[in-house]
């Protein structure tokens, strides 16, 4: 196992991303065309579900919401756990909420839960068995970073530190930029960005998934061609060229082209 793969499997590290959409076929068509993903059936305990593969290795999951469930369509970041039941108890004791599970995936790949932090941001917990999570990352079409967007880091940073054992590092001494990088054994694995009043009212606190692309500008154009939207146009950052977009059903994610 590579160091990078081992890091993703550390308890607390983001290890999987999954999307619940209204139309599974339409969603597969969108991401297949955007990232080159291919799909195979996955566990069906919540309804139709497929795992996305890139070059034969699994990189994400896509499920279909029941017609009577009017939930927002969004990507969910899953954090690794050695014991989903223990993690669920820690979430509750630290002020979070466990909404689903813990329960076993029906193909015995692992045990999972869906929870929310004290500010309402939803995330998953994954205790891998035969499937530990994303098979690889760093290449175009794979998730390369996960970031909690919330009102301020001080309100939720301690929650994630206590539940998952993160070591939080303030990114900048600039008081106007509220950002924590979350580390596990000296490896940066995720971030928390406090955006204050810029937090979208229609979304509230949420985890954002960053997907690598070879050309951010071209990928953003492709999103619109496929029926999605560009929410925040291509721009340069210290970590690469970014664009925040929404898919054809409104699920928001960020494209990143490494510098």
């Amino acid at each position: 196992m590579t160091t990078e793969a081992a890091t993703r499997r550390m308890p607390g590290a983001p290890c999987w991303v999954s999307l619940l959409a209204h139309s599974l076929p339409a969603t597969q068509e969108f991401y297949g065309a955007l990232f080159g993903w291919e799909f195979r059936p996955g566990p069906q305990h919540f309804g139709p579900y497929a795992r996305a593969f890139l070059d034969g290795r699994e990189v994400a999951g896509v499920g279909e919401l029941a017609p009577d469930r009017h939930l927002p369509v969004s990507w969910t970041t899953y954090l690794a756990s050695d014991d989903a039941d223990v993690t669920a108890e820690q979430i509750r004791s630290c002020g979070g909420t466990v909404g689903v599970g813990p329960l076993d995936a029906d193909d015995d790949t692992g045990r999972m839960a869906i929870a929310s932090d004290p500010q309402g941001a939803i995330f998953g917990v994954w205790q891998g068995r035969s499937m530990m999570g994303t098979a690889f990352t760093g290449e175009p079409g794979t998730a390369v970073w996960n970031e909690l967007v919330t009102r301020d880091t001080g309100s939720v940073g301690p929650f994630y530190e206590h539940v998952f054992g993160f070591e939080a590092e303030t990114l900048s001494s600039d008081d106007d930029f509220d950002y924590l990088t979350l580390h596990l054994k000296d490896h940066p694995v995720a971030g928390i960005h406090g955006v204050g009043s810029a937090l979208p009212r229609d979304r509230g606190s949420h985890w954002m998934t960053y997907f690598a692309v070879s050309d951010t500008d071209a990928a953003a154009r492709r999103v619109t061609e496929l029926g999605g939207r560009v929410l925040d146009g291509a721009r340069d950052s210290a970590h690469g060229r970014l664009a925040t977009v929404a898919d054809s059903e409104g699920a928001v994610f960020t494209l990143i082209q490494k510098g």
Side-chain angles (χ1 to χ4, degrees), residues 30-31 223-224 227-231 244-253:
F30 177 91
Y31 287 99
V223 165
T224 60
R229 293 177 296 135
V230 175
L231 306 179
T244 303
V245 299
D247 69 17
S248 52
E249 288 196 3
V252 177
F253 58 98

Side-chain angles (χ1 to χ4, degrees), residues 117 119 121 148-156 178 192-196 199 204-206:
D117 68 26
Q119 295 300 310
L148 174 64
V149 181
T150 191
R151 187 167 297 279
D152 64 273
T153 59
S155 62
V156 291
D178 183 16
I192 303 179
H193 190 187
V195 298
L199 188 69
S205 295
H206 60 278

Side-chain angles (χ1 to χ4, degrees), residues 35-38 40 53-59 136 139-140 142:
F35 292 140
W37 290 352
E38 297 177 346
R40 302 175 194 170
F53 288 75
L54 188 65
D55 297 329
R57 294 180 285 180
E58 52 199 340
V59 294
F136 76 122
E139 298 297 321
T142 67

Side-chain angles (χ1 to χ4, degrees), residues 167-210:
E167 297 172 358
E169 177 186 0
T170 303
L171 186 65
S172 169
S173 59
D174 183 352
D175 291 337
D176 293 329
F177 189 63
D178 183 16
Y179 197 98
L180 293 177
T181 303
L182 302 177
H183 293 256
L184 290 170
K185 296 182 180 179
D186 298 324
H187 293 280
V189 296
I192 303 179
H193 190 187
V195 298
S197 59
L199 188 69
R201 290 186 179 181
D202 60 336
R203 299 189 69 203
S205 295
H206 60 278
W207 279 87
M208 174 74 77
T209 301
Y210 287 67

Side-chain angles (χ1 to χ4, degrees), residues 75-95:
W75 281 97
T76 299
T77 296
Y78 281 74
L79 306 178
S81 171
D82 284 339
D83 189 321
D85 295 83
V86 170
T87 300
E89 285 303 314
Q90 292 172 329
I91 289 168
R92 294 187 187 99
S93 67
C94 290

